[in-house]
Amino acid sequence: MSRLRCSRCCRPQAHCLCTLIPSLASRTRVLILQHPDEVGHALNTARLAALGLQNAELVVGEQFDPALWTDAAYRTCLLFPGDGAQVLPLSATGDARALLLVVPDGTWRKARKLLHLNPELAALPRVCLPQGLQSRYRLRKAPAEGALATLEAIVVALELQEAPARFDSLLRPFEALIEGQIAAMGAETFQRNHQRG
């Protein structure tokens, strides 16, 4: 028999995170394009970002209608490293429009697949985060230095772009998820498999 789940955060009701999820306003609009394989992931951080930000939307799929990110009221950018990617924050260019930040969500391989399947998405101007960032995701072996969970990347991007505004309260449910998983596996297993030597 499956456990009852919270209809909002999709966690088992005994581990509901809703009381930890803030409701934050941002000038930047965040559009998260989630690969279908991520929907059932235990640490679905993209969902936490979409729930915690008033100006965010989460769309699941592999192919997307470019109308999702075509909005003349915003400057649209893709948060993904690549040739010509500008490091956030974007400098003032005389364009007073707020940013529409499109964020692919999935493993690096799945995120690249989303770009491959959506040429209009891949053609968007790219922005990236500064180098040397450290993930709080202690349960995952990052594929590369500076690789962050989707939620972490969104928090960093918003804090860079909208300084001095703070968005770190979005990380509270993420931290609770990690602590819950560590508790479930036991300290000894965590130390053996995940502690950095």
Side-chain angles (χ1 to χ4, degrees), residues 23-30 52-56 74 98-99 154 158 162 165 167 170:
S23 178
L24 303 179
S26 63
R27 186 166 183 262
T28 301
R29 182 176 156 214
V30 178
L53 289 167
Q54 295 168 16
N55 199 11
Y74 290 90
L99 197 62
I154 289 169
L158 289 175
E162 301 199 13
F167 295 88
L170 280 170

Side-chain angles (χ1 to χ4, degrees), residues 18-111:
C18 289
T19 59
L20 297 174
I21 299 171
S23 178
L24 303 179
S26 63
R27 186 166 183 262
T28 301
R29 182 176 156 214
V30 178
L31 172 64
I32 305 163
L33 303 178
Q34 186 175 63
H35 190 279
D37 288 355
E38 295 297 308
V39 174
H41 196 284
L43 275 81
N44 186 342
T45 71
R47 183 171 185 80
L48 294 176
L51 290 172
L53 289 167
Q54 295 168 16
N55 199 11
E57 180 183 5
L58 174 66
V59 182
V60 178
E62 286 192 289
Q63 292 186 287
F64 302 96
D65 184 345
L68 284 169
W69 58 81
T70 306
D71 187 336
Y74 290 90
R75 290 185 292 162
T76 303
C77 291
L78 176 69
L79 181 62
F80 202 80
D83 292 340
Q86 282 187 272
V87 179
L88 288 169
L90 293 184
S91 53
T93 59
D95 190 337
R97 292 178 299 168
L99 197 62
L100 193 169
L101 197 62
V102 183
V103 184
D105 176 58
T107 62
W108 284 104
R109 192 172 68 80
K110 296 280 170 58

Side-chain angles (χ1 to χ4, degrees), residues 129-135 145-146:
L129 303 176
Q131 292 187 341
L133 298 170
Q134 196 75 42
S135 177
E145 190 67 32

Side-chain angles (χ1 to χ4, degrees), residues 117-140:
L117 292 173
N118 298 274
E120 299 93 339
L121 179 64
L124 289 172
R126 294 192 189 193
V127 292
C128 61
L129 303 176
Q131 292 187 341
L133 298 170
Q134 196 75 42
S135 177
R136 298 180 188 206
Y137 200 166
R138 293 166 288 156
L139 298 174
R140 181 182 72 167

